[in-house]
Amino acid sequence: SLLGLEGAKAILEQGKEGETVVKKLLEEEGCHIYDFRDIPMAGVDYVAMCHHETKLIEVKTVTGPRSNIHITQIEWQTLCASKDSILRKITRYVDLNYRSRVKNHMYLYVVDVAEKAVKIYQNPCEALRSLVHKHEYQQVKYIVPYSELLTITPTEVVHYD
């Protein structure tokens, strides 16, 4: 239906807005960013080579507490995989000149466009596990109400304009 198509377009645009916000924040941090949004099997949106660490980042965008966060199986597997296996998978697509002495972490960046805030969750797998399994949906994707994610303390919150 046309309404369904318009709704899907709106969700995609909202997602792009959140991804743009995160990319800008990473650039301001001085990170070199590799964009994996067009490679679904990568399981992350960005790999950011920053001064002090490599960040493996999945971005989700919400419009307030009534929003849902849609996590695909490949995203969930990546969020919970060992960091080395994620980097091995990513290096199939681009040479990151990965050095094992540089620490790396998986991140979930949740952009709340209503609050104009980015909630950053470092290594979120364990904290999210109970929510994801509670909301398992057809073994294809997990839908976690943002209001429930708000019960987990983010590693960091960054406000933007």
Side-chain angles (χ1 to χ4, degrees):
S1 80
L2 189 56
L3 215 55
L5 187 60
E6 288 302 311
K9 264 176 72 176
I11 288 169
L12 284 174
E13 287 305 312
Q14 172 186 306
K16 284 181 185 170
E17 180 183 347
E19 291 162 353
T20 301
V21 166
V22 168
K23 189 172 184 183
K24 186 176 173 210
L25 288 173
L26 293 168
E27 287 168 348
E28 288 170 1
E29 211 179 301
C31 303
H32 181 76
I33 303 157
Y34 293 91
D35 189 334
F36 286 90
R37 292 176 295 168
D38 293 332
I39 306 173
M41 295 311 291
V44 295
D45 291 316
Y46 299 117
V47 173
M49 305 293 279
C50 304
H51 302 296
H52 58 289
E53 71 176 320
T54 300
K55 295 181 176 187
L56 306 155
I57 301 167
E58 178 58 33
V59 179
K60 296 297 176 187
T61 307
V62 296
T63 55
R66 297 186 131 184
S67 300
N68 286 320
I69 295 171
H70 294 248
I71 301 172
T72 66
Q73 268 195 322
I74 192 78
E75 290 166 348
W76 179 245
Q77 289 164 358
T78 304
L79 282 170
C80 293
S82 77
K83 292 179 256 183
D84 286 341
S85 72
I86 297 167
L87 283 169
R88 276 196 303 275
K89 180 166 66 166
I90 298 290
T91 55
R92 288 183 202 152
Y93 303 106
V94 66
D95 177 16
L96 297 176
N97 296 316
Y98 176 67
R99 298 181 308 274
S100 58
R101 68 180 180 275
V102 175
K103 65 180 176 175
N104 60 83
H105 295 283
M106 186 70 217
Y107 286 91
L108 175 63
Y109 278 57
V110 179
V111 180
D112 187 329
V113 294
E115 258 186 50
K116 288 199 167 288
V118 180
K119 301 196 174 149
I120 302 169
Y121 299 86
Q122 184 179 353
N123 301 323
C125 179
E126 282 310 310
L128 279 176
R129 189 178 305 280
S130 64
L131 291 180
V132 164
H133 291 298
K134 176 180 172 186
H135 296 287
E136 199 164 340
Y137 171 71
Q138 295 181 355
Q139 298 182 351
V140 175
K141 72 166 79 167
Y142 307 99
I143 301 174
V144 177
Y146 180 50
S147 59
E148 292 187 35
L149 180 68
L150 290 172
T151 65
I152 299 170
T153 305
T155 307
E156 184 180 354
V157 176
V158 179
H159 293 276
Y160 64 94
D161 343 291

